[in-house]
Amino acid sequence: MSDVVGLPVRVKVVGRPGCGRRTVTRVLHGAGVAVVASTAVADLDVHVFAETLKPEDRRALTMSPRPVVAVLNKADLTGFGGRGPVAAAAERCRLLGDRVGVTVYPLAGLAAAAAVDDRILDDELLGALRTLTVDPADLGSTDRFAGGEHRLPNAVRQRLLADLDLFGIAHAVLALRSGAERAGVIAALRRASALDGLLAGLEAIAAPVRYRRLTEQFADSAADEVVAARMAAAVEVVEAAGMTVDADVSAHAHLRRAVVWQRYSHGPVSRLHSRCGADIARGSLRLWERAGGVPEPVELKP
């Protein structure tokens, strides 16, 4: 059973050419996501687009045979003002998601890649960024940064643009000015890129995939190991949906949890959540018995 429980959820990155599929693939792979090739079997899709959803994007999202999320890549180019371009992109994602019925996440792809790939922010790049903290360059546009007068060699400036773009350069310089070292710069790039929001979204959509895989494989087993694994997978599903499952390990808490989730399983919920509620209740009862709980006959009233 451990082979099934530990099997990663396979993610396929799709989308129109030129929107940054390779960058998003590199980011997800670097973050530990099991990304598979376009010809391989996948459990869910990550659809990458830029600027806005075109008709072909909408068709792909609505016709996907698997669970799917959308990623607005190059979110740092959304526009400035207010709380910044990524915040503006997040609001755009919310509006687009409401229209197509699919969750959409913003991502500043190059900043995210630098946050997960240790090879990018090397000594040369970090030294160049430190130079910019004391000798600022014109970050008004890529042409002005690359072509303006500055003591950094043009080749180094071109590499900064290729690996971080203006958005990443600005956030890295700000972090260094605040006293950050290399790890702090990487953390700042990760926060600025909105990567963690995307990863949390993928984890939420992957939870039902793991649950279904487990329940299909061990549909008829009542072994303790299987009951515990099904309960854990069910907890992941309901918590991914925003609910909280009591983690107290006392006998009383196990029994209370069983009652709560048994009632939930009979409520006006989806079939998936009904099954999850039943698995949480069954697992909790098994834990209650192990903790010393003694089943007693219950007189059913007519």
Side-chain angles (χ1 to χ4, degrees):
M1 187 182 72
S2 60
D3 291 342
V4 176
V5 174
L7 191 66
V9 173
R10 300 157 298 186
V11 174
K12 183 180 295 187
V13 178
V14 298
R16 290 181 289 107
C19 291
R21 288 177 300 180
R22 289 183 181 177
T23 299
V24 174
T25 297
R26 182 161 49 116
V27 168
L28 294 180
H29 181 75
V33 177
V35 182
V36 299
S38 59
T39 56
V41 176
D43 299 302
L44 61 91
D45 286 346
V46 171
H47 185 95
V48 182
F49 70 101
E51 295 183 4
T52 193
L53 290 170
K54 295 189 175 182
E56 52 266 46
D57 294 312
R58 295 172 185 264
R59 285 194 298 270
L61 289 170
T62 56
M63 296 175 63
S64 174
R66 293 171 291 277
V68 60
V69 299
V71 173
L72 171 57
N73 190 31
K74 307 176 185 178
D76 47 302
L77 303 180
T78 298
F80 295 91
R83 291 180 296 142
V86 175
E91 177 59 20
R92 178 180 294 181
C93 288
R94 185 187 67 78
L95 296 173
L96 291 172
D98 288 344
R99 293 174 189 169
V100 296
V102 171
T103 308
V104 184
Y105 296 94
L107 184 72
L110 289 179
V116 298
D117 188 343
D118 290 339
R119 298 168 298 179
I120 292 178
L121 198 63
D122 58 16
D123 290 343
E124 180 187 56
L125 225 56
L126 194 60
L129 291 167
R130 287 198 174 104
T131 297
L132 292 174
T133 65
V134 295
D135 186 6
D138 188 343
L139 297 177
S141 72
T142 55
D143 288 342
R144 281 150 58 184
F145 178 73
E149 291 293 328
H150 199 276
R151 60 172 162 159
L152 281 179
N154 183 264
V156 174
R157 280 181 274 167
Q158 291 291 348
R159 190 184 163 209
L160 282 167
L161 288 172
D163 288 340
L164 297 177
D165 209 348
L166 295 175
F167 179 80
I169 294 170
H171 279 276
V173 169
L174 184 61
L176 288 169
R177 284 176 177 164
S178 300
E181 296 296 333
R182 183 174 182 274
V185 173
I186 289 174
L189 290 171
R190 184 171 185 130
R191 286 193 301 272
S193 71
L195 171 60
D196 287 332
L198 171 59
L199 295 178
L202 287 177
E203 183 62 23
I205 199 173
V209 172
R210 286 192 291 267
Y211 175 76
R212 289 191 178 99
R213 179 191 292 162
L214 182 64
T215 54
E216 289 170 2
Q217 186 76 17
F218 300 99
D220 301 321
S221 176
D224 285 349
E225 184 184 12
V226 173
V227 171
R230 287 181 61 137
M231 177 183 173
V235 168
E236 284 188 359
V237 172
V238 298
E239 289 189 337
M243 288 172 276
T244 301
V245 180
D246 183 5
D248 194 335
V249 296
S250 66
H252 178 72
H254 291 320
L255 183 58
R256 181 178 63 243
R257 188 189 314 112
V259 172
V260 167
W261 288 97
Q262 185 65 21
R263 288 174 178 167
Y264 176 84
S265 71
H266 292 296
V269 295
S270 68
R271 186 169 181 269
L272 171 64
H273 276 241
S274 177
R275 294 176 62 194
C276 287
D279 274 330
I280 295 172
R282 183 168 65 155
S284 297
L285 284 176
R286 193 71 59 92
L287 291 171
W288 173 66
E289 291 177 3
R290 285 185 176 184
V294 179
E296 298 179 1
V298 177
E299 182 179 349
L300 299 177
K301 297 181 179 180

